[in-house]
Amino acid sequence: MAARQTFLIIGIFVLAGFDGCFSVIPEEEQHPDFWYVKGKEALHTSLSMTRNMNRAKNLILFLGDGMGISTVTAARVMKGQMEGKTGEESVLAMDTFPHLALSKTYNVDQQMPDSAATATAYLCGVKANYGTLGLSAAARRANCSSAKGNEVKSILHHAKMAGMSVGIVSTARVQHASPAGSYAHTPERGWYSDKELTSEAVSSGCKDIAYQLVHNTDINVILGGGRQYMFPKETVDPEYSTVTGSRKDKTNLVDVWLSSRNNAKYVWNKQDFDAVKEEKTDYLMGKATSSIWRENFHLLH
Ligand SMILES: *[C@@H]1O[C@H](CO)[C@@H](O)[C@H](O)[C@H]1NC(C)=O
């Protein structure tokens, strides 16, 4: 979401600055040969590509939330302009990847999709209803009893079952719909903590997303925002004295997570994060509050 907002501003800047017409026409681009050579090069690259038949050791699924073709185009133009060029001719690293595919993003019950149902589609392989997470379209939004028996498993879960270590890293809250699609099953993406559960959800036995984060798939690395959903409302945030946890059940989910795992570590600031000893850590949870996580995310790199 952060990327989408940034690029939206860039898009407006581009339109106002250039009005769709460039004042400087590069000399080389005025000659047909320039384009013929480029075409031949592209063809040659494609024809000389060999298929990589090796077995993959690791899998990283990188998702730019809202990063559709027009957003990527704005980023490419911006990159070129920052290098003093007109922009469109620039090449992003991902433009050079050997394979490219497009997918249709929609929900079973709605044309304009949301992060929950699309996460269910790309992480669990099943298209779903708007606002629902990790459930097939047999489930109805915010209806807990309709969720029963309609859970679909994610690629993260299957990887764990196959003996791999798994992790989630997000600039959003890790209970946010996009990352939560890898571990949660809920008919309502807004059920971040037990505070948000409806009475029907409670009586029908649905659990909030934060609860599921520590009880469902055994995840090795969890880095992102959403600290407040892990702590009771009586607990004051270690960083912001005016902020408290949001849980009504008086449960400290970080403690629950730590106490049921060996070599597990929880950090909430850069100093503690840097001090983590990888060789002695099998589990790592790093959590910021949702509001400051995005701005501080770069500190982790
Ligand atoms: C919720 O789902 C159940 C089971 O599918 C169904 O019987 C019930 O009518 C639904 N409730 C509402 C309010 O739609």
Side-chain angles (χ1 to χ4, degrees):
M1 292 305 279
R4 180 194 291 172
Q5 284 156 4
T6 311
F7 289 138
L8 194 62
I9 294 162
I10 291 163
I12 293 161
F13 166 75
V14 171
L15 289 174
F18 284 96
D19 205 17
C21 175
F22 305 116
S23 50
V24 181
I25 299 173
E27 172 62 31
E28 57 187 10
E29 292 188 23
Q30 297 177 47
H31 301 288
D33 273 354
F34 171 82
W35 301 105
Y36 295 151
V37 168
K38 270 195 163 319
K40 273 186 194 159
E41 279 171 5
L43 194 59
H44 181 75
T45 303
S46 290
L47 290 173
S48 58
M49 216 168 74
T50 53
R51 271 183 80 187
N52 181 346
M53 301 298 280
N54 299 328
R55 191 190 166 102
K57 202 175 147 204
N58 301 305
L59 168 70
I60 298 174
L61 200 153
F62 185 94
L63 178 91
D65 204 340
M67 228 163 87
I69 291 177
S70 42
T71 309
V72 173
T73 300
R76 187 186 300 113
V77 171
M78 182 70 182
K79 180 186 174 224
Q81 291 182 353
M82 287 171 78
E83 291 164 354
K85 299 173 193 152
T86 48
E88 291 78 0
E89 72 293 342
S90 188
V91 178
L92 293 170
M94 68 170 121
D95 294 336
T96 68
F97 289 178
H99 301 287
L100 176 77
L102 294 171
S103 61
K104 292 193 289 182
T105 45
Y106 68 94
N107 296 157
V108 171
D109 64 340
Q110 184 163 304
Q111 190 175 74
M112 195 282 294
D114 88 310
S115 299
T118 51
T120 305
Y122 62 73
L123 293 170
C124 307
V126 176
K127 282 210 186 279
N129 288 330
Y130 192 77
T132 64
L133 259 179
L135 299 170
S136 74
R140 299 289 177 268
R141 185 168 190 181
N143 181 334
C144 177
S145 67
S146 76
K148 293 269 158 60
N150 293 319
E151 296 84 1
V152 286
K153 301 287 187 195
S154 75
I155 183 83
L156 178 129
H157 182 81
H158 288 305
K160 186 73 195 194
M161 291 299 107
M164 300 178 83
S165 293
V166 297
I168 307 166
V169 180
S170 180
T171 53
R173 290 162 277 181
V174 293
Q175 304 88 349
H176 184 268
S178 302
S182 60
Y183 61 86
H185 309 281
T186 175
E188 175 51 63
R189 59 175 287 174
W191 292 348
Y192 292 117
S193 72
D194 65 336
K195 184 183 128 190
E196 287 85 19
L197 293 176
T198 59
S199 53
E200 189 269 338
V202 174
S203 63
S204 301
C206 276
K207 297 294 184 187
D208 60 271
I209 297 170
Y211 178 95
Q212 295 191 42
L213 174 67
V214 306
H215 287 98
N216 288 4
T217 307
D218 182 33
I219 306 172
N220 300 81
V221 174
I222 301 168
L223 296 173
R227 194 158 71 211
Q228 69 271 36
Y229 307 126
M230 310 303 284
F231 297 98
K233 62 176 172 11
E234 293 79 14
T235 304
V236 175
D237 189 82
E239 196 172 7
Y240 299 98
S241 57
T242 55
V243 176
T244 66
S246 59
R247 304 199 66 79
K248 282 163 49 179
D249 60 8
K250 300 195 189 298
T251 305
N252 178 331
L253 288 178
V254 171
D255 279 351
V256 170
W257 190 76
L258 288 172
S259 62
S260 51
R261 282 160 182 82
N262 292 325
N263 303 322
K265 182 110 183 116
Y266 168 71
V267 296
W268 59 268
N269 60 51
K270 167 92 162 90
Q271 209 180 348
D272 292 348
F273 178 80
D274 287 345
V276 171
K277 301 225 175 343
E278 285 162 49
E279 62 284 0
K280 289 186 179 153
T281 309
D282 292 327
Y283 290 92
L284 176 66
M285 184 188 287
K287 299 206 114 252
T289 62
S290 60
S291 52
I292 56 113
W293 175 251
R294 282 174 202 163
E295 293 90 279
N296 290 333
F297 184 70
H298 65 279
L299 296 176
L300 293 179
H301 292 269

